Amino acid sequence: MDLLELINQKAFLGQEFLTWLWYLSEEEEAPALPDGKTVRLTLGDNLVLGPAQGAEGARITVRGQETSLAEAREGLRRGKLVEALRLGLEMDGEEYWLNLSAAELGLSSLKLPPVAPAEDPLRPEPPGGQAPEGPSAADGLVLERVALIGNAVQAVEGLFAAFLARRLDDEAAADLKSSLKAWAANG
Amino acid sequence: MGIIKGNATLSRYRVKGDLPDGFKDFLDRRIRQFAFRDIENNSEELSVGWVSIHDFMDTGFAYAAYALDPYVALGLRVDKRQVGGAMLKKYHRLELKKAYAAGEGRKLSRMEREELKEKARLDLLSRIPPATKFYELVWDTNSGEVWLSAAAHAVRELAEDIFKRTFELELMPIIPWHLAQEAAGSLTAKRALDEASPWSLRQEEA
């Protein structure tokens, strides 16, 4: 099976996961990740719903803080699922924001907690030609940013693993589905 | 804007294949071999190559500055010349006009017209400076995961291609299905994953 076929066949996993994240942001204070850490989720100012896999229909896009989610919730009740959203993650007192898409779980517009600015990497090396000892401030910045991005990636993967642990267990899956339906019905 | 500055957009990959023996030397040799080559002073349409992650003008890689163990952190520079349709049409017409004048109004064949169009395009290419785009790529050589600071299909293709040519390793996009297989772990969970079918939250369904 080629990659495109695989993406198309299993697109529902990403859609259901993102729908669950929206549910979590409203229904659970700070869900735990498989590694024991907790993460507080906040729905951001972008939410896109589309038809569930195999179904046809229009997309619903909700943008902006002031926009009511009523239309999106109505979309859920009509069988649509989340295709993309902006999500806030609060971990260890630090805030991350990111856009997630169901098709690839790709992270975009990822806003990281602030890091200390590095010295200007374009400044010429001091004379002498000696290799610098240890990472430079600019390299330190790269490592810090990579670590922060890693935190966000791990959190998303951890949440996905937590979702699957429920989704793939018959009993837990039935509970989860009825919780989601009840939540969708009450919005 | 990307991995080291501003808001980040990531395409994630797994590296397929094993690192060669003498990896550090191989890495240094190959990065330099596939470093960005300037096309400012010629008429080439496209140049894609590695630069410093801090500076898209730096192709020297002093002190193997890309190596931030266990990460390989590189800039990917893409310079491209593009001739706009309207501009090409205008210069094609000028070429046609010259050809008609030289041939005293002789009708031009379809092939001759196409050749003049290509001539106009090549002339324009030599006069247009290339536009520069810069992306970042970070490779965690421990986990075998690669992040590219772009989501556009065309950029991803360029990055996947130069990564393969440089390191003789393939980049496999990470998709939910692969993550799910890894997360599922046990055989029972994997079977459940294979058999899983889409849910609907439609209210009239039981």
Side-chain angles (χ1 to χ4, degrees):
Chain A
M1 192 185 302
D2 74 16
L3 198 59
L4 196 63
E5 206 178 333
L6 204 54
I7 289 173
N8 289 337
Q9 255 193 31
K10 299 295 176 181
F12 68 90
L13 280 176
Q15 286 185 324
E16 290 173 11
F17 171 53
L18 264 52
T19 306
W20 179 70
L21 291 178
W22 176 17
Y23 162 82
L24 278 189
S25 73
E26 295 189 358
E27 298 293 313
E28 285 197 30
E29 181 67 16
L33 301 175
D35 64 6
K37 287 184 182 170
T38 57
V39 53
R40 188 187 302 270
L41 304 181
T42 309
L43 182 67
D45 57 3
N46 186 34
L47 181 66
V48 181
L49 274 77
Q53 188 170 324
E56 288 184 2
R59 284 197 170 82
I60 298 173
T61 300
V62 179
R63 285 212 172 88
Q65 299 279 6
E66 304 303 317
T67 313
S68 162
L69 291 174
E71 191 189 352
R73 201 68 79 89
E74 177 56 30
L76 285 180
R77 289 194 285 273
R78 284 190 275 119
K80 293 184 192 300
L81 293 170
V82 178
E83 283 190 349
L85 51 65
R86 183 147 184 84
L87 192 69
L89 309 173
E90 193 186 320
M91 298 180 285
D92 299 324
E94 291 188 308
E95 203 171 70
Y96 301 72
W97 282 93
L98 52 92
N99 291 350
L100 268 178
S101 65
E104 297 189 40
L105 291 191
L107 279 61
S108 60
S109 299
L110 171 57
K111 188 178 177 205
L112 300 169
V115 294
E119 64 186 42
D120 185 355
L122 301 185
R123 188 171 60 84
E125 292 280 339
Q130 292 294 308
E133 280 184 28
S136 67
D139 291 341
L141 172 75
V142 176
L143 291 171
E144 203 171 342
R145 294 268 304 185
V146 165
L148 289 172
I149 293 172
N151 289 343
V153 167
Q154 276 176 20
V156 171
E157 284 194 3
L159 286 162
F160 193 47
F163 166 72
L164 286 173
R166 297 183 202 188
R167 178 66 170 86
L168 301 180
D169 177 276
D170 284 347
E171 207 169 310
D175 284 349
L176 177 60
K177 190 174 177 185
S178 65
S179 300
L180 285 170
K181 288 187 86 160
W183 163 73
N186 291 328
Chain B
M1 303 299 254
I3 293 173
I4 66 168
K5 198 177 176 187
N7 287 359
T9 288
L10 293 186
S11 292
R12 296 173 59 204
Y13 296 94
R14 291 246 188 281
V15 176
K16 192 178 164 190
D18 296 323
L19 305 183
D21 291 335
F23 177 61
K24 281 186 179 171
D25 290 340
F26 172 80
L27 195 66
D28 195 64
R29 197 170 64 250
R30 302 293 289 210
I31 288 172
R32 288 172 195 283
Q33 185 181 339
F34 288 89
F36 177 79
R37 309 275 176 236
D38 211 337
I39 55 170
E40 197 73 42
N41 297 317
N42 58 40
S43 59
E44 283 181 46
E45 283 186 79
L46 180 70
S47 180
V48 182
W50 304 116
V51 293
S52 158
I53 196 166
H54 298 297
D55 179 7
F56 66 82
M57 306 286 278
D58 179 359
T59 53
F61 307 108
Y63 314 120
Y66 52 79
L68 297 172
D69 201 27
Y71 303 102
V72 175
L74 288 163
L76 180 65
R77 179 169 164 182
V78 178
D79 275 23
K80 192 175 182 183
R81 286 187 168 87
Q82 205 155 17
V83 178
M87 192 182 285
L88 181 57
K89 201 171 175 182
K90 174 183 163 189
Y91 282 85
H92 184 204
R93 282 188 64 180
L94 289 172
E95 288 294 338
L96 288 170
K97 212 171 167 184
K98 276 195 274 179
Y100 282 130
E104 296 177 339
R106 180 181 64 85
K107 194 176 178 196
L108 296 170
S109 69
R110 184 187 172 90
M111 187 178 281
E112 284 172 317
R113 293 168 72 91
E114 284 303 312
E115 280 171 3
L116 289 173
K117 189 173 186 181
E118 182 61 8
K119 180 179 180 300
R121 199 179 71 84
L122 292 175
D123 283 350
L124 283 169
L125 280 178
S126 65
R127 290 152 61 185
I128 298 172
T132 297
K133 295 269 177 70
F134 175 73
Y135 309 95
E136 299 147 326
L137 183 140
V138 172
W139 176 9
D140 182 342
T141 57
N142 277 351
S143 69
E145 184 162 332
V146 167
W147 298 339
L148 172 71
S149 68
H153 185 69
V155 181
R156 291 178 60 149
E157 274 192 348
L158 288 175
E160 290 162 20
D161 174 62
I162 193 170
F163 191 94
K164 187 175 179 182
R165 284 187 292 120
T166 307
F167 305 115
E168 296 173 359
L169 294 165
E170 254 184 274
L171 290 178
M172 303 298 293
I174 295 178
I175 60 167
W177 178 248
H178 295 141
L179 291 174
Q181 282 194 313
E182 286 170 23
S186 74
L187 202 59
T188 317
K190 278 188 177 148
R191 196 173 301 127
L193 185 62
D194 276 336
E195 291 167 0
S197 56
W199 275 356
S200 168
L201 303 183
R202 195 180 282 273
Q203 289 304 303
E204 64 271 24
E205 290 180 11

